[in-house]
Amino acid sequence: MSVSDEQRPASPVEYLGANTHAFGPGRHLRSRSKVLPEHARGHNRALVLQTLYHAGAMSRADLSRETGLTRVTISDLVAEFIADGIVIEMGVREAVGPGKPPILIDIDRFGHQILGLDLSGPSAFTGAVLSLDGDVLERREVPRPESPDGEAAYSALRELARTLIAASTQPLLGVGIGTPGVVRPDGVVLSSPNLGWTNFPLEAKLGVDLDLPVLARNDANAAVLAEYTFGEAKADFMLIKIGRGVGAGLITGSQPLLGSRFAAGEIGHVVVGTDGGPRCACGKDGCLEAWLSVSRLGAAIAADPGSRDEILRDAGTRMAIAIAPIVAALDLSEVVLSGPADLLDGILIDAAIETLHARTLEGVFEDVSVRLTHQEDIVLRGAAVMVLSGQLGVS
């Protein structure tokens, strides 16, 4: 399929402003800008595809009622989508009254696939071929370079991507990448010390090498999109991804929050407490990442198994100290954790909830919850949301 420039939003981030939650009637991510006349057609295209993606097969008349667009506009847009291979006719609906039964149409969910890449793993880069519904169809991985080496990291990533392209069975809509570090909306990795990248044009470089549309975002920012689109998240929440490092993605007012430096959610190097603490890879003592990363927790428990509960309780408390001001300042509804359940569930979450409630205004934030995500492959699925948003305007 060839997706025309008219279909693509000016920036993938812009069309994260038009999202529905959980494949059915639900919340839409609110747009912050007015639709100008010159943008109306692109807006209408995204609205139609968005509606079909989440509501499923419906007639052209149903689509007109759902979107508020005229039947003539719907007919013209659907004809274009069918010609481009984006939408297919599914057959007629069973007649329930007089008249000709309507023809049902839907997104061609099996005609295209998406390539997702997750660079946040402790020992390997993981990738997958995914369906348009975010289901993993094929999975591959390559070893992560042992030391921060930007050239070696990119070579490993490119090898993984090419292997997955060969494993795909349908035309690829695009490639989504979740990477550690601070990433600009144009896919330039401003800083990723663990991968050895500084001002690295990841999106543009891989796009040229693969000859495919590529979108790159911070791994936690990718994960938060997956939790919103496929999970059970509310309209205002933080997702904390705990693995080799610690990072967070935020949805506030039903909008992704990136920040003026594109570093919103970079909580891993916030120092928690004034009592020192473990030395962090960044050179400071007592960063949240030094208390909470999977490698640190695993090493501390292995060194002193009898203190497991105390180690996890302390980590949960430190996490809550770091996020309590964020929860209060942004009035978040919940905090979602992504990471190993054997470490995070139970003692760590209980300690976090207790400390979070103790450090926020009584009677106001007592209903804020801390829970584990139920999703597997959350960064890979978030990468799929990025591609859907960037290429079709839906997520």
Side-chain angles (χ1 to χ4, degrees), residues 125 142-145 151-161:
F125 294 161
V142 296
R144 179 191 184 104
E151 184 175 344
Y154 180 75
S155 295
L157 166 65
R158 185 176 55 199
E159 175 192 340
L160 176 61

Side-chain angles (χ1 to χ4, degrees), residues 5 38 70 213 228 254 291:
D5 290 340
E38 60 267 30
T70 67
Y228 191 93
S254 294
W291 290 103

Side-chain angles (χ1 to χ4, degrees), residues 122-342:
S123 60
F125 294 161
T126 304
V129 177
L130 301 104
S131 72
L132 298 195
D133 288 331
D135 298 322
V136 173
L137 306 175
E138 293 283 345
R139 182 192 306 274
R140 301 287 189 277
E141 65 177 40
V142 296
R144 179 191 184 104
E146 292 184 5
S147 59
D149 181 331
E151 184 175 344
Y154 180 75
S155 295
L157 166 65
R158 185 176 55 199
E159 175 192 340
L160 176 61
R162 288 174 171 166
T163 301
L164 287 164
I165 290 171
S168 64
T169 58
Q170 297 293 339
L172 288 168
L173 194 61
V175 181
I177 307 171
T179 176
V182 178
V183 186
R184 277 194 335 220
D186 62 357
V188 172
V189 182
L190 297 178
S191 175
S192 184
N194 289 336
L195 295 177
W197 290 339
T198 301
N199 295 321
F200 182 65
L202 175 59
E203 192 173 292
K205 185 173 177 61
L206 192 63
V208 170
D209 285 349
L210 301 182
D211 194 24
L212 283 169
V214 174
L215 294 168
R217 297 291 178 267
N218 170 269
D219 58 312
N221 289 336
V224 79
L225 296 178
E227 186 65 21
Y228 191 93
T229 301
F230 300 120
E232 305 168 355
K234 300 178 182 179
D236 298 89
F237 77 102
M238 170 191 293
L239 182 138
I240 303 176
K241 189 172 179 299
I242 302 168
R244 182 187 181 99
V246 175
L250 292 135
I251 297 282
T252 61
S254 294
Q255 279 285 329
L257 178 63
L258 296 180
S260 61
R261 300 171 186 84
F262 319 114
E266 287 292 324
I267 63 173
H269 298 288
V270 172
V271 175
V272 283
T274 57
D275 55 348
R279 174 58 57 96
C280 182
C282 73
K284 294 188 293 187
D285 292 329
C287 290
L288 180 61
E289 186 170 298
W291 290 103
L292 190 60
S293 70
V294 170
S295 55
R296 185 267 165 178
L297 290 177
I301 292 170
D304 187 4
S307 298
R308 181 181 187 276
D309 290 0
E310 181 181 348
I311 292 167
L312 295 177
R313 188 176 297 108
D314 191 34
T317 298
R318 302 278 178 171
M319 182 182 74
I321 290 171
I323 66 174
I326 303 171
V327 169
L330 299 179
D331 193 12
L332 301 180
S333 300
E334 65 179 346
V335 177
V336 182
L337 306 185
S338 174
D342 61 323

